[in-house]
Amino acid sequence: MDLVNKVYGGWRYLMDDLSDPRTNEWPLMSSPFPTIAISLTYAYCVKVLGPRLMENRKPFQLRKVLIVYNAIQVVFSAWLFYEACAAGWATHYSLRCQPVDYSQSPTALRMARGCWWYFFSKFTEFFDTFFFIMRKRYDQVSTLHVIHHGIMPASVWWGVKFTPGGHSSFFGLLNTFVHIIMYAYYMLAAMGPKVQKYLWWKKYLTVLQMIQFVLVMAHAFQLLFWNECNFPSAFAYFIGAHALMFYFLFSNFYKRAYAERKQPKEKVEKQQLVANGNLESEPNKNIEQHSSPMSAHYQSNGKSSFYQAVGKTVEESYSSTRHRVYVGAVNN
C-alpha cells in the first residue's frame, strides 16, 4: 500500500507541481488519460469498427465534403503557423536555444494558447482516416497512417502540459507549414481529374515531410552539446526521438511507394504475368508441344480457360492496387 501511495503521490507531484499552471485547467490538460483513450478509440474505429460498419454499404461520395474539409485545414494550419511566428519564431525566439516563458505576458500566453490549438488540431486530423473508411479506401489506412495520427495527440499533450512554447515549439512551427501544403494538395486532388493532372508534385510531399523530420532532429539534438538556456533536455530528446522514428517510417514508405516504381515497366509486367499464370514458362512450352488437340482446346499454357480468366482479373486487380499511393502521412 505504501508503494501505491508513493507512486500516486509522485504522479500528483508531476501533474500538479511540475507542470505549467497556466494550462492545467484547459480542456483535456488535467490528465493524459482522456487523450490516450480518445487515441485508442480512434485506432479501434479505423481498424475494426469502421470497416465492419461499411462492410455491406456502398462507398460514400464525399468530393464536396473533402474539398471543404481540406480547405478548412489549410486555413487552420495557416493560422497556427502565423501564431507561432507572431508569438516568437519570427520575432525574438532563438534557433540555438529557447527557454519557455512561463509568465502571464500577452506574448507568452499567445504562444501557450497556440500550442494548445496545435494539440487540438491533432484530433481534427482523425477525419482524414474517417473519410478513407467512409469511402472504403482501406488501402490508404496503412500502419504508418494510423500510427502517425494515433500517437500525435498524446505526444503533443506532454508539451502543452509542461513546455507550451520555447525550444520544443519549433516542431509545431514546421509541422503546420507542411500541413498547409499537404492539405492544399488534398483539396486540389478532391476537385477531380481536371485538376489532378497538374499534381505531378505528389511524391515531393513525402520528401518535404522527411526534410521536416531531419530539421526537427537537428534542432532538438543540438541541446545534447549546448543547452545554454536550460531548456528541459528530456523534452528535446523526446521530440528528437519522435522525429527520428517518423523519418524512418516515412523513408520506408517513400522507398516502397516510389523507388520500387523505377524498375523497367516490361520487367514488372512480365513478373506479374508469370505470377498469375498468364506467361508460359519453358516447362509449360514443352507440355504444350506434346499435348493433344483436344487438350489444347481446353488448355492454354497449362491452364484452363477459366483459370486464365481468373488470372487476368487478379492481374488487373493487382496492377491497379499496386499503383495506389498514400502520401504521407500521412496526412502528418
Side-chain angles (χ1 to χ4, degrees):
M1 192 64 181
D2 289 340
L3 178 60
V4 174
N5 289 333
K6 287 182 179 180
V7 171
Y8 179 75
W11 176 257
R12 292 307 340 152
Y13 174 70
L14 176 66
M15 291 292 106
D16 300 332
D17 298 333
L18 297 183
S19 61
D20 186 345
R22 300 173 303 171
T23 65
N24 278 342
E25 302 302 320
W26 292 2
L28 296 174
M29 283 293 106
S30 61
S31 168
F33 297 116
T35 296
I36 294 173
I38 294 172
S39 296
L40 291 175
T41 302
Y42 156 80
Y44 173 76
C45 288
V46 300
K47 298 301 288 186
V48 180
L49 182 61
R52 186 179 298 169
L53 292 175
M54 290 298 299
E55 184 176 3
N56 298 317
R57 290 180 170 87
K58 293 182 179 180
F60 286 90
Q61 300 300 318
L62 302 174
R63 189 174 68 86
K64 293 182 179 179
V65 174
L66 290 174
I67 293 173
V68 173
Y69 165 73
N70 287 303
I72 292 173
Q73 288 286 28
V74 169
V75 174
F76 192 17
S77 298
W79 177 74
L80 290 171
F81 179 75
Y82 171 78
E83 286 296 298
C85 290
W89 286 108
T91 54
H92 62 282
Y93 268 30
S94 169
L95 287 172
R96 186 66 188 84
C97 189
Q98 181 60 44
V100 180
D101 184 355
Y102 291 103
S103 72
Q104 295 289 337
S105 70
T107 302
L109 288 174
R110 185 178 187 178
M111 177 60 79
R113 284 192 292 267
C115 290
W116 186 89
W117 280 109
Y118 175 70
F119 161 72
F120 176 78
S121 74
K122 300 298 112 180
F123 293 111
T124 68
E125 292 167 13
F126 286 174
F127 284 94
D128 294 2
T129 322
F130 296 153
F131 291 143
F132 283 142
I133 298 297
M134 294 173 68
R135 295 158 61 207
K136 303 188 81 168
R137 297 295 302 274
Y138 303 133
D139 57 307
Q140 305 282 32
V141 188
S142 63
T143 300
L144 169 61
H145 179 93
V146 176
I147 290 176
H148 181 62
H149 284 272
I151 72 172
M152 281 301 294
S155 298
V156 177
W157 184 92
W158 294 95
V160 181
K161 182 71 171 178
F162 295 94
T163 58
H167 201 80
S168 60
S169 62
F170 182 73
F171 175 79
L173 174 77
L174 291 184
N175 192 236
T176 52
F177 174 76
V178 170
H179 279 197
I180 295 171
I181 301 174
M182 185 183 74
Y183 281 110
Y185 171 87
Y186 291 152
M187 180 182 66
L188 294 172
M191 293 180 180
K194 291 184 178 180
V195 177
Q196 289 173 357
K197 62 183 179 181
Y198 299 108
L199 302 180
W200 52 266
W201 41 278
K202 180 178 184 178
K203 71 176 182 179
Y204 296 107
L205 286 177
T206 305
V207 174
L208 181 63
Q209 288 174 314
M210 289 192 291
I211 293 173
Q212 166 198 203
F213 296 131
V214 171
L215 292 176
V216 170
M217 281 188 285
H219 183 258
F221 287 143
Q222 67 177 322
L223 297 187
L224 284 169
F225 309 101
W226 189 18
N227 188 357
E228 61 180 1
C229 64
N230 293 320
F231 183 84
S233 299
F235 282 93
Y237 304 155
F238 175 76
I239 291 172
H242 187 274
L244 180 64
M245 176 187 69
F246 277 116
Y247 173 81
F248 282 110
L249 287 173
F250 275 79
S251 176
N252 183 58
F253 165 78
Y254 182 87
K255 290 176 183 178
R256 289 186 290 105
Y258 299 108
E260 292 178 0
R261 285 186 169 188
K262 293 182 179 180
Q263 298 183 55
K265 183 178 179 181
E266 295 80 4
K267 182 178 179 181
V268 174
E269 291 177 348
K270 184 176 180 180
Q271 290 173 346
Q272 293 175 0
L273 289 170
V274 171
N276 290 300
N278 291 323
L279 185 67
E280 60 184 9
S281 60
E282 290 301 322
N284 285 338
K285 288 183 179 180
N286 294 333
I287 292 173
E288 183 180 6
Q289 290 174 359
H290 296 284
S291 62
S292 65
M294 182 63 72
S295 63
H297 177 74
Y298 288 99
Q299 294 184 339
S300 176
N301 301 331
K303 308 293 182 182
S304 68
S305 58
F306 172 78
Y307 187 97
Q308 281 191 314
V310 173
K312 183 177 180 181
T313 303
V314 172
E315 175 196 341
E316 292 172 350
S317 175
Y318 174 83
S319 179
S320 62
T321 301
R322 179 174 175 80
H323 287 81
R324 294 178 193 152
V325 177
Y326 169 68
V327 177
V330 232
N331 297 307
N332 277 230

